C-alpha cells in the first residue's frame, strides 16, 4: 500500500477538502499511474452532491484522468514505465456477461465498477478517482493516449469525448446528415467537434445566445437558440439525429419537433425524470428517443485514436485543486468554457 494526497468531500452538503488515503500496490495485471491532469465532469458535481442518490463518502471524484505510467505488474503487456495513459469512468466489470464479452463493459449486467463512488468487486473498498496524485488500475481499463495531442486538453476526452463519440458512432452519424447537439457544455462542445469530424452538418442548440460565436468556432455550421420560439418553429423537421446533453430533467417535446422522419434523439445528460412526452410527437414521424452511457474500453481507445488523427482535444480552463469548489459553483451557473481541468501538480506541491 502507498499513501496518496487527494481532495475529497465527506458529505453531500460539504465542500471538497484535502484528504489522504492508501492505494494498493500494483498486482500482476495492474498499472500504477502518476496523474498529471484530471477533467471536471458535471457528473462529479452530481455525485458529490448526491443528486442521483446512493453516493458513497468520503468521495474523491474525477474520471477524466491522464498521466504517466510509473510501474507495471509482471503480466502487463500494454504499458511500460514512462508511457502516457488514460483512465475514464470505469476501473472494472464482471467480464463474463454478454455486454462485457462484447466489449461494452459500461453496460455490464452486474454494473461496472466506477472509478470513484463505487466499491471494488473483491475487497468492497471504496474506489477513489482522479482528484488524487496516483491511481492503480488493471490494464484492461487503461487506454493509450496519443503523443501528438496537448495532454491537459486530452483529459476530458476520457468522459466527455467517449460519451459523445459512442452514440454518434452507434447511430452511424456521418456525411449528408444534419446533426443537432443540445447544450454547449463539456459534453456538447466535444459533440460538435466529433460530429463535424465525422462529416455531419452540425447545428448547436443552446439556451445561451452568447455562446453562438464559440459554437461556430468549435465547428458548428449553425446555431439555434432553443428559447427563440420563432427560430425553433423554422427549424422543425430538419434534423436526422439529436444528441441531448442537458444535465437536468426538462421538456424534450420541443426538441422532438426538430427531427425528420425516422429521426432519433439520444439522451446522455438527464438521468432523472423528464417532463411527460406527448406520444403524438413520436408517432407522427416514427421517431426514437434513446439513451447512451459512456462507451466501452475498446471504443474509448478507438475514440482517442480518432482524436489523435483528427487533432481533436477539449477547450479547457486549467484550475488548481484548491479552486475546485469555486469551479463547481461556476458549473452550476453555466459558466464553463468548456471544461475545467485540474492541474494535479497543484495537489503535489
Ligand atoms: P456542463 O458542462 O455543465 O454542460 C451542460 C450544458 O447544458 C450547459 O452548458 C448548458 O448549455 C445546458 N444546460 C444546463 N442547464 C440547462 C437547463 N436547465 N436547461 C437547458 N439546458 C441546460 O455538463 P457536462 O459535463 O457536459 O454534462 C452534461 C450531463 O451529462 C450531466 O448531467 C452529466 O452528469 C451527464 N453525463 C452523462 C454521461 C453518460 O454516460 N451518459 C457521461 C458524462 C456526463 P447551453 O448554455 O448551451 O444551453
Ligand atoms: Zn463524466
Ligand atoms: Zn459484465
Amino acid at each position: 500500500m502507498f499513501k496518496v494526497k487527494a481532495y475529497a468531500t465527506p458529505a453531500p452538503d460539504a465542500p471538497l477538502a484535502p484528504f489522504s488515503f492508501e492505494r494498493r500496490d500494483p498486482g500482476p495485471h495492474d498499472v500504477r499511474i502518476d496523474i498529471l491532469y484530471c477533467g471536471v465532469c458535471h457528473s462529479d458535481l452530481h455525485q458529490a452532491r448526491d443528486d442521483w442518490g446512493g453516493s458513497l463518502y468520503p468521495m474523491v471524484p474525477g474520471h477524466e484522468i491522464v498521466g504517466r505510467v510509473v510501474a507495471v505488474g509482471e503480466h502487463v503487456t500494454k504499458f511500460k514505465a514512462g508511457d502516457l495513459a488514460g483512465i475514464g469512468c470505469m476501473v472494472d466489470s464482471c467480464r463474463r456477461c454478454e455486454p462485457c464479452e462484447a466489449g461494452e463493459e459500461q453496460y455490464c449486467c452486474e454494473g461496472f465498477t466506477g472509478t470513484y463512488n463505487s466499491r471494488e468487486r473483491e475487497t468492497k473498498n471504496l474506489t477513489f478517482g482522479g482528484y488524487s496524485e496516483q491511481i492503480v488500475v488493471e490494464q484492461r481499463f487503461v487506454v493509450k493516449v496519443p503523443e501528438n495531442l496537448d495532454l491537459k486538453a486530452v483529459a476530458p476526452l476520457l468522459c466527455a469525448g467517449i460519451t459523445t463519440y459512442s452514440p454518434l458512432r452507434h447511430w452511424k452519424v456521418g456525411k449528408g446528415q444534419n446533426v443537432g447537439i443540445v447544450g454547449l457544455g463539456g459534453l456538447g462542445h466535444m459533440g460538435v467537434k466529433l460530429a463535424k469530424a465525422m462529416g455531419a452538418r452540425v447545428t448547436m442548440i443552446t439556451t445561451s445566445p452568447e455562446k453562438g460565436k464559440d459554437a461556430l468556432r468549435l465547428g458548428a455550421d449553425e446555431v439555434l437558440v432553443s428559447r427563440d420560439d420563432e427560430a425553433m418553429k423554422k427549424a422543425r423537421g430538419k434534423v436526422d439525429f439529436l444528441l441531448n446533453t442537458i444535465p437536468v430533467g426538462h421538456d424534450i417535446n420541443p426538441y422532438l419537433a426538430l427531427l425528420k422522419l425516422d429521426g432519433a434523439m439520444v439522451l446522455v445528460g438527464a438521468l432523472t425524470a423528464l417532463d411527460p412526452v406527448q406520444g403524438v410527437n413520436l408517432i407522427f414521424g416514427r421517431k426514437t428517443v434513446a439513451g447512451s452511457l459512456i462507451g466501452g474500453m475498446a471504443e474509448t481507445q478507438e475514440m482517442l485514436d480518432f482524436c489523435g488523427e483528427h487533432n481533436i482535444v477539449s477547450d479547457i480552463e486549467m484550475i488548481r485543486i484548491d479552486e475546485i469548489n469555486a469551479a463547481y459553483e461556476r458549473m452550476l451557473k453555466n459558466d464553463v468554457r468548456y471544461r475545467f481541468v485540474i492541474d494535479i501538480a497543484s495537489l503535489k506541491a
Side-chain angles (χ1 to χ4, degrees):
M1 303 286 273
F2 65 97
K3 204 164 185 172
V4 291
K5 286 198 273 184
Y7 254 56
T9 179
D13 52 357
L16 279 93
F19 175 72
S20 73
F21 65 95
E22 294 204 317
R23 296 229 187 247
R24 68 173 187 268
D25 291 317
H29 300 277
D30 284 339
V31 182
R32 176 170 165 175
I33 293 152
D34 189 46
I35 301 176
L36 296 171
Y37 303 106
C38 184
V40 180
C41 181
H42 204 117
S43 304
D44 297 350
L45 174 61
H46 281 310
Q47 292 177 87
R49 306 250 164 117
D50 200 20
D51 289 347
W52 298 332
S55 279
L56 304 168
Y57 300 92
M59 185 190 299
V60 177
H63 60 206
E64 293 184 338
I65 300 168
V66 291
R68 284 223 181 253
V69 174
V70 287
V72 296
E74 55 182 316
H75 295 311
V76 171
T77 50
K78 251 168 75 179
F79 296 95
K80 58 179 189 323
D83 286 351
L84 288 177
I87 294 155
C89 302
M90 302 184 280
V91 290
D92 204 356
S93 70
C94 89
R95 299 147 197 236
R96 292 179 305 267
C97 70
E98 231 175 273
C100 279
E101 289 211 325
E104 307 233 65
E105 300 91 346
Q106 74 276 31
Y107 301 115
C108 175
C109 297
E110 294 182 9
F112 68 79
T113 306
T115 304
Y116 67 88
N117 192 24
S118 195
R119 288 193 185 277
E120 287 181 352
R121 302 186 96 77
E122 278 176 25
T123 64
K124 306 294 172 209
N125 290 334
L126 283 179
T127 57
F128 292 128
Y131 300 3
S132 64
E133 295 175 295
Q134 295 207 345
I135 190 165
V136 176
V137 178
E138 201 182 313
Q139 66 170 344
R140 174 175 173 152
F141 291 87
V142 185
V143 284
K144 289 177 178 287
V145 172
E147 296 273 351
N148 61 316
L149 299 175
D150 178 10
L151 194 59
K152 51 190 184 299
V154 167
L157 301 180
L158 275 302
C159 176
I162 185 61
T163 302
T164 48
Y165 182 90
S166 182
L168 291 170
R169 280 290 190 231
H170 187 79
W171 273 270
K172 301 189 169 53
V173 161
K175 270 204 177 66
Q177 282 180 319
N178 288 329
V179 169
I181 308 288
V182 186
L184 186 45
L187 266 53
H189 92 292
M190 289 314 308
V192 171
K193 292 186 187 203
L194 291 166
K196 195 68 199 164
M198 290 173 191
R201 183 178 164 79
V202 180
T203 302
M204 183 67 234
I205 304 166
T206 177
T207 61
S208 312
E210 69 279 8
K211 290 184 187 171
K213 259 197 197 134
D214 279 351
L216 298 175
R217 179 180 53 77
L218 292 164
D221 298 283
E222 252 178 87
V223 177
L224 174 59
V225 175
S226 54
R227 291 188 174 140
D228 179 341
D229 293 341
E230 264 318 295
M232 286 290 278
K233 225 184 232 170
K234 268 197 203 138
R236 276 185 191 167
K238 300 216 167 100
V239 179
D240 297 281
F241 180 82
L242 281 170
L243 184 63
N244 181 338
T245 75
I246 296 175
V248 290
H250 60 280
D251 182 8
I252 64 171
N253 291 290
Y255 299 108
L256 289 175
L258 304 177
L259 291 173
K260 284 185 191 170
L261 170 64
D262 285 328
M265 172 158 73
V266 173
L267 302 167
V268 290
L271 269 69
T272 47
L274 299 164
D275 294 356
V277 178
Q278 302 300 325
V280 65
N281 292 339
L282 294 171
I283 293 166
F284 280 71
R286 198 163 51 193
K287 294 170 186 174
T288 308
V289 178
S292 183
L293 179 65
I294 46 176
M297 294 316 301
E299 195 173 41
T300 304
Q301 188 63 63
E302 180 190 307
M303 176 274 308
L304 282 171
D305 296 344
F306 180 88
C307 289
E309 276 162 38
H310 293 262
N311 252 306
I312 295 175
V313 288
S314 179
D315 283 32
I316 65 158
E317 179 178 337
M318 279 274 267
I319 59 165
R320 294 189 318 269
I321 190 81
D322 60 9
E323 294 174 309
I324 187 66
N325 292 302
Y328 278 7
E329 290 312 315
R330 282 183 54 195
M331 194 183 270
L332 276 176
K333 284 193 222 127
N334 197 359
D335 176 23
V336 195
R337 302 288 188 274
Y338 281 90
R339 196 59 138 189
F340 292 120
V341 171
I342 305 166
D343 184 356
I344 298 296
S346 64
L347 176 65
K348 294 169 184 164

